Amino acid sequence: MGTVTIGVSIAVPEPHGSLLQERRAGFGDAAAHGIPTHVTLLPPTEVADTALTAIEAHLTEVAAAGRPFPMKLSGTGTFRPLSPVVFVQVVQGADACTWLQKQVRDASGPVARELQFPYHPHVTVAHGIDEAAMDRAFEELADFEAEWPCTGFALYEQGPDGVWRKLREFAFGGSVVPPQAGHVERGSLPTSQL
């Protein structure tokens, strides 16, 4: 029995995903091309390879209970000095991401775990690089904006080469994306949570 490192995330769609990945590489983040642009729901987690079937079943249930919701990214933020990260902020969809990550990590599920830091949905654009490059990332992406209807999430595995590869996508059970106007995120929660 071996182990694998997995993660669960919401992909940032094209053309935004590639643009942010290229910008991240341009700031000098060597890991940029091995990490698809995303909002994390489950950070890198080592599991037994035999647990993947149970994990996929759990994620299928989480997705079935979720509903599509509008996502919007706008502006930058940082976790410095606590953690050497600059990110693009999630300004719409954060409540839904928070709910989803709780369901993914639920204590009764196969990937229950505590987080090192409180959950804060974001899109990393610089990590662990020199301070000047971090400052550049913060400033140059301050006006960045993107929005899209989030209709699901995906399970990824980190290969021995450090590259993250998608194993499977999980579509939400609902089919209606709430309107962008009015910034109402209630539609992102399952009906039992409203």
Side-chain angles (χ1 to χ4, degrees):
M1 179 178 88
T3 62
V4 292
T5 300
I6 62 164
V8 177
S9 63
I10 296 168
V12 175
E14 296 304 333
H16 315 297
S18 291
L19 184 144
L20 289 177
Q21 191 174 44
E22 289 303 319
R23 295 303 306 270
R24 183 172 178 174
F27 297 131
D29 191 329
H33 289 295
I35 306 171
T37 307
H38 67 281
V39 176
T40 299
L41 298 177
L42 176 73
T45 302
E46 190 173 307
V47 298
D49 53 13
T50 55
L52 285 175
T53 301
I55 291 168
E56 287 189 14
H58 171 65
L59 295 177
T60 298
E61 289 179 16
V62 171
R67 296 292 177 262
F69 59 92
M71 283 280 283
K72 183 174 182 181
L73 308 178
S74 182
T76 51
T78 184
F79 294 133
R80 295 183 294 174
L82 192 59
S83 181
V85 172
V86 171
F87 57 86
V88 172
Q89 299 184 73
V90 174
V91 296
Q92 187 174 11
D95 289 348
C97 291
T98 300
W99 181 84
L100 280 169
Q101 65 87 30
K102 284 181 185 172
Q103 305 313 303
V104 170
R105 295 185 305 102
D106 189 81
S108 66
V111 284
R113 66 166 283 183
E114 294 299 316
L115 298 178
Q116 184 179 358
F117 299 106
Y119 182 73
H120 180 83
H122 65 281
V123 177
T124 299
V125 292
H127 180 230
I129 56 178
D130 70 72
E131 289 297 317
M134 299 276 268
D135 292 342
R136 225 175 86 230
F138 187 87
E139 292 162 12
E140 291 181 14
L141 291 171
D143 294 331
F144 179 83
E145 288 198 353
E147 53 188 300
W148 70 93
C150 179
T151 57
F153 55 85
L155 172 64
Y156 292 81
E157 180 181 338
Q158 186 178 35
D161 56 1
V163 174
W164 287 90
R165 294 175 180 86
K166 188 186 315 177
L167 294 180
R168 181 171 167 199
E169 291 186 35
F170 299 86
F172 293 136
S175 58
V176 178
V177 176
Q180 298 280 343
H183 189 64
V184 176
E185 294 190 357
R186 286 174 42 127
S188 63
L189 300 177
T191 52
S192 63
Q193 300 293 313
L194 296 178

